[in-house]
Structures are given as C-alpha cells and as structure tokens.
Amino acid sequence: MDVRQAWAAELDPADRTLVEESLAFVSGADTDGVLAGLAPGLTERQRASVAAHCAMAHAAVLVFPASLDRLIAGFRSAGFSVGEPVPSVVVRDRLSLRYGVPADALNVRIVHIHRPSTGHGPGFVELFALEAPGGSEFTGIAARERTERNESHLALDVGAPDDVVLAGLSSLLTEHGGLTADGGGYNAVEDCTVLYFRSPEATPPGSNPDHYRRLELRVLGHHPGALAAHTATATDDPTKRLLELMTGAWTTQAIAVAAELGLADHLPGPSRPEAPCPIGELAERLGVAPDGLTRLLRYLTAAELVTPTTDSYRLTALGELLRRDARHSLRPLALLYGGPFYQSFGALAHAVRTGQEAFATIFGQGHFDYFAEHPALATLFDSAMAASAEMFEPVPGLVDLSDARVVVDVGGGSGELLSRFLAHTPHLRGVLFERAHVLERARQRLADDGHADRCDLVAGDFTQGVPRGGDVYLLSRILHDWDDEQCLAILRRCAADVPEDARLLIVERLLPTDGTSSLAAAWDLHMLCNVGGRERTAEHYARLLSAAGFDLVAISGLPLDGSLLHARRRGSDQAART
C-alpha cells in the first residue's frame, strides 16, 4: 500500500471522504471566503470587519476510526504533521446530550492534521475522533453522525481575547449574517473558549453541500460571560427547543398570573435590596396556596424572572419590570396578553385561513369597539400602550422642531408621546386628536405632566379626517392596525387636511428584509389575529405614503425594534410634477 494512503485505510469510506475534502478545502481557504459562504447576509464591509479580528484556523470533522493510534501513524507515514491527541470537552458533551450517553463514557479526542508543506494556505484539519471498532457500542452513533455531519465546521481564530469583541462578532454573525447560535464551551486542556454558529442553508464555495453548515469562533482563555450569553440562545437538541417553543403559552400565563397577583410588588430585587419574606408568609399575603406559589416561582426561575434565595425568591432585572411602580412597567401588557389577547390567539387558525381578525370571532365585535364598551379593558389597554413608552423617548430629539409651532398627535391615546414633545420643546402647542372617551382619560395625564394649558383636546375619528393647522403630525402605532386599503385611506385623509410641506412622523416596527430577528415578526401575527392589520417593511410604507401624497425622507431607529419614519406632505407643484 502507498504510504501516503496508509491513513485512509484506517477510516470508513464516509469518514475518509470527509477528511480528504477538508484537507483540500483548507489548502486555499481564507476568512472572507468562509464568511461569504457561511454568513451570506454579511455585506462585503461587514465581512471585512469580522476578518479584521479573525483569521482562518481550520476545518473540523468528526471521525470514528477503529484505532486512533493507527490513524495517527498512517498520517505521519504519509508526511503529515500530526499533533498529540488531547481530550475534547465541547464535542464530547454535545454527543452526550444528543445521544443520552454519559460524557465520561465518550473518549473523544482532538488531533490536528497539518498537510505536508506545499506552499498553500495555513489552515489545518481538526479531527474529533471517537474510536468505534466493529461491534462497538458507538456504531449507531457513528452511522448517524456520518449521515448528519453535526460536528463538521469551519473555525476562525479571534485575535483579541476580549468579551466586547466577542459580543460584537456574535452580533454581526447572528443579526446580519443569518447564523444562529449553536452552543459552545470551554476546553481547559487547550485553555480555549469556542462559540458555535449554524447556517442551515449556506455552504462555502467549492465545498460539498453537506459540509460546513457551522462556524466556530475560537478565542484563547476562559470567557464565561461571553459563553453564557451565547449559549443562552442556543440548544443542541432540536426536540428540546421545539418543546420550549410549544410551551410558550404556559410562560405567557405564568407571567400573567404573577402580574394578576402583584407578585413582583412583594419581592425584593436589584432596585429594592431588602430581605425576602419566607414562602409561607408570601403566600399568606397574596392569598394563595404555598405549594402552588412555590411551583409558580420555580417556573418563573426557569424563565429568569426570579432567582431563589435560602427560603424564598428575589426578582431579577427582568422580573422587576412587572412591578406596578417600575418605570415603563410591563404589568399591564402581561395582563392584556394573558387575558383577551390570549383568548383571541386561540382562534389564530381562523385568522390564518381567512385573513380575518380572530378577535371578532371570539368576542363578537372588533377589538376597538369591544374595548370601548368595557371601560376596565380600555383603561388596561391605554396602560399597556404606555408601557412601551421606552420606544418614544428618543423621538422628539430626532426631529428639528425649531420652525414648528403646533404638533398634532393623531390617535395619540393618553398623550404619552405628545407630552414628550411638549416637554422637549417649550414653544410648542399640542393637539391630541382622539375619541371622546379616550380624551377623558388623557386630560388628567396631560395635567399631571404640566401640559394642560398648552394642549387642545379634540374629539374625532381620524378615518374621517384630522385637525388642520398643524406643522407636525404624529401617527404612533396607528397604521399597523389597518390593512393596506384602510391604511391608504387614512393617509389620504391626512394629506387632504394637513398643510403643504407639513411633516408626518410615523412610529412603527418595520419588518426586516434581510432575515434578521425583530419583534416586528411577532407583532405582525398579533396584528393579523387581533385587529386585522399588519406590520410592514420600509419600502411598503414608502409606497403607501407616495400614493397618498407624502414623500418618505428618512428613517430613524428606536428602542424595542421600533422605527421613526419621517415623511413630508408634497406641495401642489410637486404633486403636479409627479
């Protein structure tokens, strides 16, 4: 036998093919090519940013030789430089989790294979090897892994052992590159932290389509913070992940029950560091069974809203948002999402099949009419909308108001956003245009903020028209309540009533077009189910605005995945030209 093929005789044909293709790939691979293949969402500039901090390291594959010693000897006899095998921690633990085999029963080792010097690229092949001779208990694992190739990946070395750099790289790869977190770990033997990412469809140029759907970032040292943040969004077990998703309704109800009980108001937390009271006393305060409360708190621990103490629990920063006195408290939203909107989502299939809102199917009438007839729900809804006021905070500072005198908030609810404009710019006057029953609740809010004397409350229906004479008009989370036909009609009503060159500011969540994660996707389904509306892309809004007589001139990002769309009413001469 040719000594250059001695190593090949020690491997199953599928493993041999993996190794041969990996050796061929690393001979000419570079960082930009790896990123172009595995993270197709990255722009050329973004790939350059990643490459500035990373260098191509290796391709990695999992193989199952009958004897690792003979395999190493075969590589060496063929002229390859082979490092000494070291124990694998990360891949061993991944296999243990995937197949339910105790980790200490899996003697997975890492071997680095360097090609004989040929003047090609610096990359090498990293073999994860688990011996599986004929009749081995690992034969079944080997067969499945050879088919699924779960551990095949390409690795980049991160030059700067810095958690900030790791966080930035992770953000680019997931939010823009289209990758998803796929686990990771720390190998104390190599003193190396690894973060895995998965690309379900992409493959680098020239590689086998079944290879390299995973990317590894390697950084020297132990980085527990970066690792914890990464693995918090990853799971190695798709069944477990799907179960977590399917039980999301349980989480909604657990949070809603905690909000209904006022649980967060009775627990200490980061902003209130007193000692927690024992479970029995807490249960007595809330009027619930101690055992039931304990089980609820255990579940909320898994949801990261509370954390256990010696004989009770404390709120996390996440849990503190359920307090009544929390700034931007989300308690009203928890009650709303666990109440009427939870019921309407039970008829989501009807909305998907018909395109009609499910809320009316459950409650007999549309959301806004139903809430108007139920004052307690209407008040809860207003409070819930105010809970998202964090989205509003930057808005007044993103607009040049120096030449504006009157701001009209169309459908502005309790005046949350308008009040911020009046506080930000003392020379402004405001007009809050809403339904009469909403204005009664808004009157006190504006008085409490000290703006009652600078704001006119005007009752009306924006689907029929809007007050004239404003310089700036606000439509905050209004348009997503309506389908395209009604949305265009509202915009045309606005265009008919606002002065030429008046500015229109729209606050909405925009659907991404590059596959990145956004709250807008969830709210889009929520709109379909509960009001018959929809979230839209920026381009979609631009078309609607143009058809109504407005030009979309700018977009600014806002918290909570929101966006501020700046539009301007076209003058009659401009309209004539278009």
Side-chain angles (χ1 to χ4, degrees):
M1 178 183 296
D2 186 340
V3 294
R4 298 187 66 82
Q5 298 301 318
W7 63 269
E10 298 298 326
L11 292 174
D12 175 270
D15 289 348
R16 184 163 61 245
T17 298
L18 266 179
V19 175
E20 288 173 342
E21 291 179 348
S22 297
L23 286 167
F25 180 78
V26 298
S27 66
D30 61 22
T31 303
D32 186 76
V34 167
L35 293 171
L38 278 176
L42 293 180
T43 64
E44 183 177 354
R45 183 175 180 180
Q46 289 168 335
R47 294 201 306 271
S49 295
V50 176
H53 296 282
C54 300
M56 173 65 190
H58 61 259
V61 293
L62 172 62
V63 297
F64 300 87
S67 167
L68 179 57
D69 289 341
R70 291 201 303 269
L71 178 62
I72 291 174
F75 273 114
R76 287 174 174 163
S77 69
F80 289 87
S81 173
V82 183
E84 290 301 315
V86 298
S88 163
V89 173
V90 179
V91 171
R92 178 203 65 188
D93 290 347
R94 285 168 61 87
L95 292 174
S96 172
L97 179 63
R98 192 175 298 134
Y99 297 104
V101 178
D104 57 9
L106 296 168
N107 185 22
V108 182
R109 286 175 284 176
I110 303 171
V111 181
H112 290 171
I113 310 295
H114 295 261
R115 296 176 59 89
S117 179
T118 59
H120 291 293
F124 61 91
V125 172
E126 181 173 75
L127 295 186
F128 297 105
L130 175 62
E131 291 183 341
S136 165
E137 61 182 310
F138 303 129
T139 301
I141 294 177
R144 178 172 159 184
E145 288 296 319
R146 284 167 180 149
T147 299
E148 298 180 0
R149 296 173 174 175
N150 294 302
E151 301 307 323
S152 293
H153 64 264
L154 299 174
L156 303 178
D157 279 335
V158 181
D162 184 301
D163 282 5
V164 174
V165 171
L166 282 176
L169 291 172
S170 294
S171 177
L172 268 178
L173 293 171
T174 55
E175 296 181 18
H176 299 278
L179 305 183
T180 56
D182 192 37
Y186 171 68
N187 190 330
V189 177
E190 296 186 308
D191 187 27
C192 180
T193 298
V194 301
L195 308 180
Y196 288 123
F197 302 83
R198 179 175 291 277
S199 176
E201 298 179 358
T203 55
S207 67
N208 185 296
D210 290 329
H211 291 184
Y212 313 133
R213 294 184 178 179
R214 298 174 64 241
L215 177 69
E216 175 191 30
L217 293 185
R218 293 167 44 88
V219 59
L220 291 178
H222 190 196
H223 300 271
L227 185 59
H230 181 76
T231 55
T233 61
T235 177
D236 294 321
D237 185 346
T239 302
K240 179 181 177 182
R241 177 59 179 149
L242 185 56
L243 284 172
E244 290 172 344
L245 292 172
M246 289 192 296
T247 58
W250 304 353
T251 305
T252 302
Q253 281 301 306
I255 294 173
V257 169
E260 182 181 348
L261 293 174
L263 176 60
D265 298 315
H266 295 272
L267 292 175
S271 67
R272 201 169 68 189
E274 67 262 25
C277 66
I279 289 290
E281 181 182 338
L282 183 60
E284 186 175 350
R285 286 187 191 178
L286 299 175
V288 298
D291 179 65
L293 179 60
T294 299
R295 293 160 83 167
L296 174 62
L297 285 162
R298 186 182 300 125
Y299 187 91
L300 295 175
T301 299
E304 300 181 351
L305 272 72
V306 301
T307 185
T309 62
T310 303
D311 61 351
S312 189
Y313 290 81
R314 304 177 64 86
L315 293 170
T316 63
L318 197 65
E320 281 200 324
L321 292 171
L322 290 178
R323 281 199 178 132
R324 288 180 174 88
D325 61 356
R327 187 168 182 266
H328 304 322
S329 171
L330 296 186
R331 182 176 181 270
L333 274 175
L335 295 172
L336 195 63
Y337 292 163
F341 287 160
Y342 188 87
Q343 292 175 260
S344 61
F345 251 93
L348 176 62
H350 168 79
V352 172
R353 289 191 180 105
T354 66
Q356 299 171 356
E357 62 181 284
F359 191 97
T361 300
I362 298 296
F363 295 98
Q365 59 188 135
H367 157 220
F368 293 108
D369 291 337
Y370 184 83
F371 279 27
E373 293 181 8
H374 295 78
L377 281 178
T379 300
L380 178 63
F381 181 75
D382 287 346
S383 298
M385 294 304 96
S388 299
E390 180 183 345
M391 186 188 294
F392 297 156
E393 288 187 352
V395 172
L398 296 172
V399 185
D400 180 4
L401 298 168
S402 58
D403 61 347
R405 293 295 176 266
V406 178
V407 175
V408 181
D409 194 352
V410 178
S414 62
E416 179 77 32
L417 179 56
L418 181 58
S419 183
R420 291 174 184 274
F421 270 85
L422 298 176
H424 181 272
T425 310
H427 72 257
L428 284 178
R429 287 197 58 81
V431 175
L432 182 61
F433 185 61
E434 257 291 3
R435 292 161 296 169
H437 71 278
V438 177
L439 291 178
E440 290 307 309
R441 297 193 295 273
R443 192 182 308 278
Q444 186 61 51
R445 165 60 191 271
L446 290 164
D448 291 343
D449 289 347
H451 303 315
D453 61 338
R454 296 170 54 207
C455 188
D456 298 322
L457 306 184
V458 179
D461 179 357
F462 58 72
T463 65
Q464 302 303 311
V466 299
R468 299 174 181 270
D471 303 298
V472 177
Y473 287 76
L474 310 178
L475 282 174
S476 175
R477 296 180 299 177
I478 298 294
L479 298 179
H480 72 165
D481 290 333
W482 307 89
D483 63 25
D484 279 0
E485 182 179 354
Q486 293 166 312
C487 180
L488 182 57
I490 292 168
L491 289 173
R492 281 175 171 159
R493 289 285 186 185
C494 290
D497 291 337
V498 308
E500 291 184 1
D501 295 327
R503 283 172 285 172
L504 178 65
L505 302 178
I506 299 169
V507 176
E508 295 287 359
R509 288 189 173 98
L510 297 179
L511 287 170
T513 58
D514 58 0
T516 56
S517 175
S518 170
L519 290 172
W523 260 256
D524 186 39
L525 200 62
H526 172 66
M527 291 298 108
L528 167 65
C529 192
N530 286 292
V531 295
R534 66 186 310 133
E535 305 294 352
R536 298 173 173 89
T537 64
E539 194 273 337
H540 194 158
Y541 274 118
R543 291 199 308 270
L544 291 171
L545 286 164
S546 179
F550 291 94
D551 291 321
L552 179 61
V553 296
I555 298 175
S556 304
L558 299 175
L560 303 178
D561 288 347
S563 292
L564 177 65
L565 286 74
H566 306 246
R568 187 175 287 276
R569 168 77 163 87
R570 286 198 295 268
S572 57
D573 58 333
Q574 293 175 293
R577 288 197 297 271
T578 58

